[in-house]
Amino acid sequence: MSGAIFVKRYDDPERCAAAAAHHAWLAGLGSGVRLPALVARSTRHLIFERLMGHAPGVEDLPRAAAALGRLHAAAHRDALRTACLDQPHIASTGLVISDFASPRQAALHHAAAAAGVHESVINAVLDRVGEPVTFYKDPNIRNYLANGNEVAVVDFDDLTLAPFGYDLAGLLVTASMTYGRLADLSIARCLRAYRVAVAPQICSLADLKRYAELHHLLTLRYLGRNGYRHAWPTVRPWPDPFLTELS
């Protein structure tokens, strides 16, 4: 980091090019959500405008959820209305956005086997064919910057199709693993802020709970690193929905 810029370095030129393409696609959605400008690039570096702010605290989570909802709504409205979750989508820019299940299926089944979760439960959550489509973009709370009433979104390494609510669940899981159990009121405010941005009927609490378990399985290996201090089963604010579905 130097002056008013932030330099993101990549060992793989393809990853660097993909991140730049993801940023361009997200910036072109016209969501009104702040993204850092990409000011220069090389084969292994992306140089972004440096934005002021800090990783959202618990009090900032509803604003982060609202920003995420605005991005998701804009993506569906302007780019993904005809997309299907089980097929890659080719954007007008030529960017190929992977389907929902393929990039995470193997890792989920491996983690589920270790955690004692039945494969059929994972498959049921992954199989969201026919639902409205938006995107996934690593919702780790460290990929947001809160500055007063504004929340900006940073880090553009990963992008796939996803159902509405999937990234919101990831935001809440990573916040819980970082700060501890979230109060019911905090979760309700986040869900309400997200729904206001997308649509009141989109993303049920039941779906949010199931998506949270997918994020838990995919984040297990990071426990004790990257600020993740709390295991999800110890801070989960509701009973394990996977166990309920298996009973």
Side-chain angles (χ1 to χ4, degrees):
M1 191 175 292
S2 174
I5 62 171
F6 176 82
V7 181
K8 181 72 181 286
R9 296 174 172 82
Y10 296 84
D11 293 331
D12 182 350
E14 291 186 2
R15 289 278 288 169
C16 183
H22 299 161
H23 174 273
W25 184 78
L26 291 166
L29 293 176
S31 66
V33 176
R34 182 79 183 273
L35 306 178
L38 179 59
V39 297
R41 56 179 290 191
S42 69
T43 57
R44 295 178 183 269
H45 298 82
L46 298 181
I47 303 175
F48 291 100
E49 164 195 19
R50 180 183 179 185
L51 299 182
M52 302 303 294
H54 56 85
V58 173
E59 69 281 0
D60 302 307
L61 290 177
R63 287 190 292 277
L68 184 58
R70 291 196 299 273
L71 270 172
H72 282 177
H76 178 76
R77 180 184 65 242
D78 297 340
L80 300 176
R81 187 178 293 275
T82 61
C84 298
L85 286 170
D86 63 338
Q87 300 173 20
H89 178 77
I90 302 177
S92 59
T93 60
L95 173 69
V96 178
I97 306 175
S98 177
D99 68 288
F100 178 52
S102 296
R104 44 186 60 87
Q105 198 155 22
L108 275 171
H109 284 300
H110 178 77
V117 177
H118 198 276
E119 277 196 7
S120 62
V121 179
I122 300 296
N123 289 335
V125 182
L126 285 175
D127 184 14
R128 315 305 283 180
V129 178
E131 292 193 9
V133 178
T134 188
F135 65 85
Y136 157 87
K137 187 216 76 66
D138 191 356
N140 182 336
I141 59 164
R142 294 155 193 83
N143 291 336
Y144 299 82
L145 287 175
N147 186 7
N149 289 325
E150 182 182 63
V151 174
V153 176
V154 299
D155 195 289
F156 309 99
D157 291 355
D158 300 302
L159 191 71
T160 74
L161 300 179
F164 280 93
Y166 182 74
D167 272 14
L168 177 62
L171 173 68
L172 297 177
V173 168
T174 59
S176 299
M177 292 178 68
T178 301
Y179 301 124
R181 179 171 178 162
L182 300 177
D184 291 347
L185 181 58
S186 179
I187 292 171
R189 285 175 173 167
C190 289
L191 185 55
R192 182 166 58 248
Y194 182 80
R195 282 175 169 167
V196 165
V198 293
Q201 73 274 19
I202 288 180
C203 183
S204 70
L205 181 59
D207 278 340
L208 188 72
K209 292 177 180 180
R210 296 186 189 102
Y211 297 149
E213 297 312 307
L214 298 192
H215 283 286
H216 157 54
L217 292 173
L218 293 170
T219 313
L220 268 172
R221 65 186 185 275
Y222 300 117
L223 184 62
R225 296 184 285 148
N226 303 330
Y228 293 135
R229 299 177 295 166
H230 305 276
W232 172 246
T234 68
V235 295
R236 182 191 286 114
W238 45 64
D240 185 342
F242 284 3
L243 293 179
T244 301
E245 290 169 13
L246 288 172
S247 62

